[in-house]
Amino acid sequence: MPRVARPAHSRSSRSSTSPDMPRRWRRVPAGLSFATDGPLMLDARVLRQETDDVVARLARRGFAFDRERFDALESERKSLQVQTETLQAERNTESKKIGKAKAAGEDIQPLIAAVGELGERLDGAKARLNEIADELDAFLAGIPNLPDDDVPVGESEDDNVEMHAVGDIPSFAFEARDHVDLGAGLAGMDFEAAAKLTGARFVTMSGPVARLHRALAQFMLDLHTREHGYTEVQVPFIVHADSLFGTGQLPKFAEDLFKLEGDAPWYLIPTAEVPVTNLVRDRILERDELPLKMVAHTPCFRSEAGSAGRDTRGLIRQHQFEKVELVQIVPAGESERALEELTGHAETVLDALGLPYRRLALCTGDMGFSAAKTYDLEVWLPGQGRYREISSCSNTRDFQARRMQARTRSAEGKPEPVHTLNGSGLAVGRTLVAVLENYQCENGDVIVPEVLRPYMGGIVRIEAQV
RNA sequence: GGAGAGGUGGCCGAGUGGUCGAAGGCGCACGCCUGGAAAGCGUGUAGGCGGGAAACCGUCUCCAGGGUUCGAAUCCCUGUCUCUCCGCCA
């Protein structure tokens, strides 16, 4: 991207930019351009040349694209950019003349005067271009990804489409307890203790329950690395705002994140998707490096702002939880296949644990900001008598890749964005909930699923204590 | 945390404020040569953006941001990262 020295008088507008904005974005400058390195999600050319289509597709997911504003900003940007570059070209050639004249021992004073005037005009043009570029950047950064054509159109989760359901919903000869009661009975889960330590939406676990939680994560990691070809990665749980911008959590969803104090724009990760996917930021990957398949087990931190009153009981919705995350980086054109594969990998975990679940295709209105297509996996929870989300698998196509400049080469050798996918495989805490509730006995004991027993020292049953 | 040294193209590595997007080397690609290969020789080999049907042209990028200047890879300031030494620490 062009890096033009930002004229001093434009600093005020730039410095008013939110400190939460990624450094890369603030840096943009200047912008002689806003695409690719700017906060762009959609292909700039596609947006410009096929605006009607883009607007229509965004409307399907309930996003109102301000066509008039875009057209106005874009046309102004274009004329200013041409004007600025023309002036720069002039200045460059004139300045070179000075160099030559000086070398030839000629008088360069008249030349310097002429170029000086040019420079002032150039500064003015740059300043106006920067302002427009800033506006355009902010405008474009808030536009979500385009939904795939086969994504069901809808407004809310009520419009999601069930693809299939696997496993029989268990029927108990007694009244099923929920995981909170079970956890208490096993003396392994204490919400009050966590509330004392920190506050609401935290939990402490102990004994066999804590071990079961660990066993689940180990099992998932082993399954994905041994059977599904993923490479285990260990990543920071604190990331720079730039990374959050790359995957699309910023600038729009800062209120969902925990931000650290201090000068650095650092945040606790809301999902391993952020650090893992950003591993390929600013890289041009060789074709034979792809696909990249990575799995990471990390804690996740979410402020759950705006979730007051929702799922207040139990560990369904916590500020901190653990997750085993799958990420794939693939060449364009392979991501549709990869989404099916990755979702299948997540389902394998549920199959192995013998938990009943179903797969939903999220509708346009329920998908996340960065997703082009998303499958949610929902597990059956006897304690609630309903399915609950336990995994979300998304294809973001080139949306994240463009924001983070992650590329590979086309057959012609030209750089082109990769496609990125991510999905939970699975959310460990919620899987624990599902295991406890689905494997409960009438007396409050919980049977350990067979595949987990090697991770539990052979324990078959966790016995109720109280 | 303290002190010092440094961040240049895929890699290594030059670069007196002007003709430097940047010598040279390595790697890579293509070609010549060869029965084939190696060696040798030749040519090419960053990215973004804008304009253009294209050829191509323009512009920007030598860690980042700011400054000085007609002109900055080169000078100044700040930040950041890496390395070495000291301190601290799991």
Side-chain angles (χ1 to χ4, degrees):
Chain A
M1 97 189 158
R3 292 177 209 285
V4 177
R6 176 170 293 278
H9 49 280
S10 75
R11 284 185 70 191
S12 55
S13 70
R14 181 59 74 157
S15 60
S16 67
T17 302
S18 157
D20 287 343
M21 283 188 184
R23 183 204 296 149
R24 198 144 117 280
W25 184 11
R26 274 182 263 128
R27 218 193 275 158
V28 165
L32 282 190
S33 73
F34 55 86
T36 313
D37 198 60
L40 191 54
M41 37 8 129
L42 307 175
D43 185 327
R45 288 206 169 86
V46 169
L47 181 54
R48 266 181 247 137
Q49 291 166 9
E50 300 167 31
T51 314
D52 289 337
D53 183 48
V54 169
V55 170
R57 293 172 71 185
L58 286 172
R60 288 219 303 270
R61 56 143 70 217
F63 185 86
F65 183 89
D66 190 340
R67 181 67 183 270
E68 275 187 37
R69 182 162 158 72
F70 172 71
D71 287 345
L73 286 170
E74 175 56 18
S75 70
E76 188 160 5
R77 184 228 102 226
K78 184 182 285 190
S79 77
L80 282 171
Q81 179 166 346
V82 169
Q83 189 186 338
T84 303
E85 291 190 2
T86 304
L87 284 168
Q88 268 169 338
E90 272 185 63
R91 190 206 58 192
N92 289 347
T93 57
E94 293 305 310
S95 283
K96 282 179 183 175
K97 280 186 197 167
I98 294 177
K100 286 178 185 168
K102 195 178 173 189
E106 296 166 14
D107 180 16
I108 57 175
Q109 282 312 314
L111 286 171
I112 288 180
V115 179
E117 188 264 340
L118 236 183
E120 280 171 33
R121 285 166 59 201
L122 181 56
D123 282 349
K126 272 187 196 170
R128 275 178 291 138
L129 179 57
N130 286 342
E131 284 172 29
I132 292 298
D134 284 354
E135 278 187 59
L136 204 45
D137 285 351
F139 177 78
L140 294 169
I143 299 175
N145 201 356
L146 302 178
D148 279 0
D149 289 333
D150 61 351
V151 172
V153 176
E155 293 179 5
S156 73
E157 59 183 351
D158 298 332
D159 301 312
N160 295 338
V161 175
E162 180 175 317
M163 309 292 288
H164 56 240
V166 177
D168 297 324
I169 290 174
S171 58
F172 295 94
F174 52 92
E175 184 156 356
R177 300 179 170 91
D178 79 355
H179 69 281
V180 178
D181 291 341
L182 289 163
L186 298 170
M189 214 179 269
D190 191 335
F191 294 93
E192 286 71 30
K196 179 176 70 184
L197 299 178
T198 312
R201 293 198 193 282
F202 288 90
V203 69
T204 64
M205 289 184 270
S206 60
V209 174
R211 185 173 189 178
L212 186 61
H213 184 260
R214 172 163 59 93
L216 282 165
Q218 302 297 324
F219 167 68
M220 294 176 198
L221 232 27
D222 286 344
L223 179 69
H224 296 308
T225 55
R226 289 176 188 160
E227 309 293 332
H228 299 150
Y230 290 79
T231 300
E232 181 172 351
V233 293
Q234 180 63 232
V235 291
F237 307 148
I238 296 172
V239 293
H240 193 282
D242 284 357
S243 295
L244 289 154
F245 182 83
T247 35
Q249 283 81 11
L250 289 179
K252 257 196 161 176
F253 308 100
E255 72 279 6
D256 297 332
L257 304 167
F258 283 110
K259 186 174 192 293
L260 270 54
E261 289 220 12
D263 295 333
W266 285 359
Y267 296 79
L268 296 177
I269 58 170
T271 161
E273 167 196 347
V274 178
V276 176
T277 309
N278 273 280
L279 284 171
V280 297
R281 189 170 88 218
D282 287 323
R283 286 194 61 197
I284 299 180
L285 297 146
E286 294 306 325
R287 206 61 178 206
D288 59 16
E289 292 180 73
L290 302 178
L292 229 45
K293 297 164 71 173
M294 296 173 283
V295 58
H297 167 217
T298 72
C300 304
F301 304 92
R302 299 186 182 177
S303 76
E304 297 298 341
S307 298
R310 291 179 61 191
D311 300 313
T312 50
R313 179 178 168 84
L315 46 70
I316 292 295
R317 191 176 299 277
Q318 302 269 289
H319 287 306
Q320 172 188 322
F321 61 97
E322 291 183 28
K323 190 154 58 73
V324 170
E325 184 78 359
L326 304 172
V327 168
Q328 288 200 29
I329 312 294
V330 305
E334 288 184 26
S335 60
E336 291 180 36
R337 192 214 88 253
L339 178 62
E340 301 302 322
E341 178 191 277
L342 186 150
T343 308
H345 292 155
E347 289 180 336
T348 303
V349 179
L350 292 161
D351 290 332
L353 291 170
L355 296 169
Y357 67 92
R358 64 177 183 175
R359 182 199 290 204
L360 302 179
L362 293 197
C363 74
T364 50
D366 200 28
M367 284 198 305
F369 183 74
S370 299
K373 181 175 181 176
T374 299
Y375 291 125
D376 268 12
L377 300 182
E378 295 188 336
V379 69
W380 178 260
L381 295 186
Q384 296 193 357
R386 56 174 286 207
Y387 286 103
R388 290 304 303 258
E389 177 185 342
I390 197 167
S391 172
S392 190
C393 304
S394 297
N395 179 8
T396 76
R397 292 188 176 272
D398 61 2
F399 185 86
Q400 293 179 331
R402 284 184 191 284
R403 294 169 78 101
M404 67 174 82
Q405 286 274 77
R407 295 164 292 173
T408 184
R409 294 188 184 278
S410 67
E412 297 75 42
K414 291 294 173 194
E416 64 176 18
V418 295
H419 281 197
T420 65
L421 305 97
N422 65 81
S424 350
L426 307 162
V428 180
R430 288 189 182 181
T431 308
L432 178 70
V433 170
V435 168
L436 293 178
E437 295 191 5
N438 281 279
Y439 283 86
Q440 62 179 298
C441 304
E442 184 163 15
N443 69 350
D445 289 1
V446 171
I447 305 294
V448 177
E450 215 169 310
V451 294
L452 296 180
R453 291 175 194 168
Y455 298 89
M456 294 290 289
I459 294 175
V460 173
R461 170 188 290 259
I462 303 175
E463 293 176 5
Q465 302 297 304
V466 287

